[in-house]
């Protein structure tokens, strides 16, 4: 099976290092996935980045496996056909100090999981075991590379929990031979996803060789300690079987498919080693990583580490032949990918100056996250909902209208702070012609289609964000993405829309980009924040503005569609009603991002010391004084004004403007707008 049904694979520990990579591979192979993780050794950011990579939402539950009631609810809510069970505590050294915690979490957690599976008649499980169950294999003369039939003798509580769980699964199979259990014994997982978006994010001082070396390379640790160079290997350091985490992840798909192909009604209990079959010494790995980094890294040879043995290399023949799986990547690939992950995420998933929480009353609802970045005097908050701007606070003064709860956001229809798409502004009669055919759109504004239709981008949950620092470390960048399905609100073709916010110490810039699989589809993206510079006042009355242009599109007062004429509009304050499209420059490209920013508006209010400046690469902007706002108890008419840079109204139906908005599958749509803040001179 490659994900042909509506059933789900439950991934326990899916927010962790190996789990997150496996979820990506599962989804790439067409499986539906639901994740359960108590985040005891991981963060939700990993899940959010998995979603960004696969461009799909992935249901996630912050549940401890030992909480049978909550776990049972997940099984009730989803049609689960099989489980991949990663969730465990895994630090060998720690397990010798707190063995009970390890037995409770790993063994008891697995028992609760198995009970819940049995109660829901789910009998397929792929289990994360470890080469550690073999113990010190050098006690035998001829067991390296290690085959699956090598006797087990784990030497620490962690390894013993794996050994016990393997035995539990075997006993369950003996009692009911319709259970299907794949025991995967991993050797040394290393590396990261080639995108640099997910990887290993160890808490505290890393125990393992490569995570430690990566921290040396990034300057978080002084030097690597090499634990002994007096072993019987080509350079005196111990030999391990290092396997790229993406290869390892793919091994789980192979095992799952093997189980799914077991004869109907029959079961299976079988162990497979997942390794490359090739051993590398500590120095081999050290040199490979130095090569990836581009220079030598400091190290010191110290004494042997307790419990280390000369050689732990897998015999992976069984997995190669039965699962038809073998590792494809080598340690150079793993080191390159680890270095990308490390340089892109020097502190792992944490980013200084960034934090997220959830909107009021939605604890645990990860779709209602509020992402706040703080840079000197500026603090800006964003939502996944609509990739919206919720708050812009400069020198302690809030400058935009924002709401507190997701319900409030969902019930308003004024595009508050939201990304407007697929098509900002109006399309006359809700239709346009392409390739000689008429395409009909959702009409949500009288006869017209407005702001992308009744279920536009403002009502969608964007995926992400990926949060990082700019190359010069100065600014914070948040990237959201949305996959808008073909036919959504009537628009042809799938559209992948990316919204990237950059926050500096006195500005927030938004860059839009979009691609499609259609031969032609109209696109026009903008932001619909309601700005208010009057301090805490509920009205924008008194706001003074300087506009870069007085050229406005004349519109029919009834339909608000351009007549084709250009009128002159001199606006110096926002005391009257304004809802006009002002023309900044002639431009004839679908992608304006590479153009230079042009200042289109400066605004201030006598009651405040702050000035807002809006610059854009776009040919025009809609200026709107918020006269129709009505959010009872929150915001009324003229609570804020909108500056919406974009393409000219109804461009898709005007021959000379069409090329500004019609995107095809060979081009990328793009634009940039910057809102900056300063004190009055
Ligand atoms: P990890 O710590 O990154 O991932 C394990 C995840 O399980 C974490 O996200 C953690 O929060 C979660 N978890 C732990 N206990 C839980 C509980 N009671 N309920 C719900 N969630 C819980 O570790 P990893 O490196 O990704 O390892 C995954 C699995 O592979 C583990 O079972 C580990 O023992 C096994 N393994 C790992 C290695 C290795 O070197 N990384 C080697 C062999 C085997
Ligand atoms: N190692 C090392 N210095 C370190 C960490 C590990 O020399 O800081 C060596 C360790 O002795 C072993 C190999 O690197 O030979 C792999 O160790 P790791 O802890 O990564 O995995 P293990 O094989 O012990 O599970």
């Amino acid at each position: 099976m490659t994900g042909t049904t509506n059933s789900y694979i439950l991934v326990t520990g899916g927010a962790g290092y190996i789990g997150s990579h496996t979820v990506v591979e599962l989804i790439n192979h067409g499986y539906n996935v639901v994740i359960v993780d108590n985040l005891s050794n991981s963060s939700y950011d990993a899940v959010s980045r998995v979603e960004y990579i696969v461009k799909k939402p992935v249901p996630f539950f912050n549940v401890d496996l030992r909480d049978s009631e909550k776990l049972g609810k997940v099984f009730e809510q989803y049609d689960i056909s099989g489980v991949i069970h990663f969730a465990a505590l895994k630090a060998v050294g720690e397990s010798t100090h707190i063995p009970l915690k390890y037995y409770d979490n790993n063994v008891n957690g697995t028992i609760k999981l198995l009970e819940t599976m049995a109660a829901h008649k789910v009998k397929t499980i792929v289990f994360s075991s470890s080469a550690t169950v073999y113990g010190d294999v050098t006690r035998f003369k001829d067991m390296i590379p290690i085959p699956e039939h090598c006797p087990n003798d784990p030497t620490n509580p962690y390894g013993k929990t794996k050994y016990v769980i393997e035995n539990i699964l075997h006993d369950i199979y003996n009692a009911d031979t319709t259970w299907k259990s794949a025991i995967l014994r991993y050797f040394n997982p290393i590396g990261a996803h080639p995108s640099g978006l997910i990887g290993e994010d160890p808490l505290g001082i890393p125990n393992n060789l490569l995570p430690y070396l990566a921290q040396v390379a990034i300057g978080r640790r002084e030097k690597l300690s090499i634990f002994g160079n007096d072993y019987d290997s080509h350079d005196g350091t111990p030999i391990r079987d290092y396997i790229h985490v993406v290869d390892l992840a793919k091994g789980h798909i192979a095992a799952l498919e093997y189980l799914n192909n077991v004869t109907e009604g029959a079961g299976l209990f079988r162990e497979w080693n997942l390794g490359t079959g090739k051993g590398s010494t500590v120095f081999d790995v050290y040199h490979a990583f130095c090569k990836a980094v581009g220079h030598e890294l400091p190290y010191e040879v110290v004494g042997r580490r307790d419990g280390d043995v000369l050689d732990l290399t897998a015999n992976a023949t069984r997995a190669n032949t039965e699962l038809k799986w073998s590792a494809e990547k080598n340690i150079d690939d793993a080191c390159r990918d680890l270095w990308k992950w490390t340089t892109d995420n020097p502190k792992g998933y944490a980013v200084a100056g960034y934090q997220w929480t959830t909107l009021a009353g939605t604890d645990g609802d990860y779709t209602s996250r509020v992402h706040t970045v703080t840079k000197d005097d500026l603090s800006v908050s964003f939502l996944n909902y609509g990739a919206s701007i919720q708050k812009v606070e400069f020198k302690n003064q809030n400058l935009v209208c924002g709401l507190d709860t997701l319900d409030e956001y969902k019930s308003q229809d004024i595009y508050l702070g939201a990304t407007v798409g697929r098509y900002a502004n109006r399309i006359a009669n809700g239709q346009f012609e392409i390739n000689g055919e008429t395409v009909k759109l959702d009409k949500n504004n009288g006869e017209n289609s407005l702001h992308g239709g009744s279920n536009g981008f403002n009502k969608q949950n964007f995926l992400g964000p990926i949060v990082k620092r700019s190359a010069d470390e100065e600014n914070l960048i948040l990237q959201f993405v949305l996959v808008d399905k073909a036919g959504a609100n009537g628009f042809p073709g799938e559209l992948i829309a990316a919204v990237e916010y950059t926050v500096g110490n006195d500005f927030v810039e938004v860059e839009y980009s979009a691609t499609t699989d259609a031969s032609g589809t109209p696109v026009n993206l903008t932001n619909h924040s309601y700005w208010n510079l009057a301090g805490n006042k509920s009205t924008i009355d008194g706001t003074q503005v300087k506009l870069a242009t007085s050229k406005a599109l004349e519109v029919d007062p009834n339909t608000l569609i351009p007549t084709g004429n250009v009128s002159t509009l001199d606006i110096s304050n926002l005391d009257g009603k304004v809802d006009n499209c002002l023309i900044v420059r002639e431009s004839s490209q679908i992608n304006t991002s590479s153009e230079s920013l042009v200042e289109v508006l400066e605004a201030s209010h006598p009651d405040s010391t702050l000035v807002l400046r809006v610059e854009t690469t776009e040919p025009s902007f809609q200026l709107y004084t918020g006269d129709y706002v009505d959010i009872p108890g929150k915001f009324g008419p003229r609570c804020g004004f909108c500056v919406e840079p974009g393409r000219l109204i109804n461009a898709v139906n005007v021959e000379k403007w069409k090329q500004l908005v019609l995107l095809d599958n060979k081009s990328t749509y793009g634009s940039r707008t910057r809102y900056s803040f300063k004190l009055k001179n």
Side-chain angles (χ1 to χ4, degrees), residues 12-21 36-43 61-67 85-91 104-106 108-110 127-132 158 161-162 184-190 199-201 208 245 248 252:
T12 77
Y17 172 42
I18 306 169
S20 56
H21 288 81
V36 163
D37 196 304
N38 67 359
L39 301 181
S40 58
N41 194 39
S42 51
S43 70
F61 293 88
N62 182 346
V63 166
D64 190 299
L65 288 186
R66 291 162 294 182
D67 187 336
H85 178 31
F86 293 102
L89 298 175
K90 61 160 186 178
D104 181 40
N105 191 79
N106 296 3
N108 196 18
T110 305
F127 173 60
S128 295
S129 190
S130 166
T132 190
Y158 163 70
T161 66
K162 295 290 175 190
L184 302 182
R185 293 177 178 154
Y186 313 156
F187 281 68
N188 288 47
I190 56 167
E200 193 170 7
D201 186 13
N208 298 108
V245 65
L248 186 64
H252 293 73

Side-chain angles (χ1 to χ4, degrees), residues 4-54:
T4 47
T5 69
N6 286 330
S7 63
Y8 283 74
I9 300 300
L10 172 72
V11 179
T12 77
Y17 172 42
I18 306 169
S20 56
H21 288 81
T22 304
V23 172
V24 169
E25 295 307 320
L26 281 166
I27 293 173
N28 285 344
H29 281 78
Y31 288 93
N32 300 314
V33 174
V34 50
I35 297 175
V36 163
D37 196 304
N38 67 359
L39 301 181
S40 58
N41 194 39
S42 51
S43 70
Y44 180 77
D45 299 279
V47 179
S48 159
R49 285 171 175 225
V50 164
E51 291 185 324
Y52 192 93
I53 293 171
V54 300

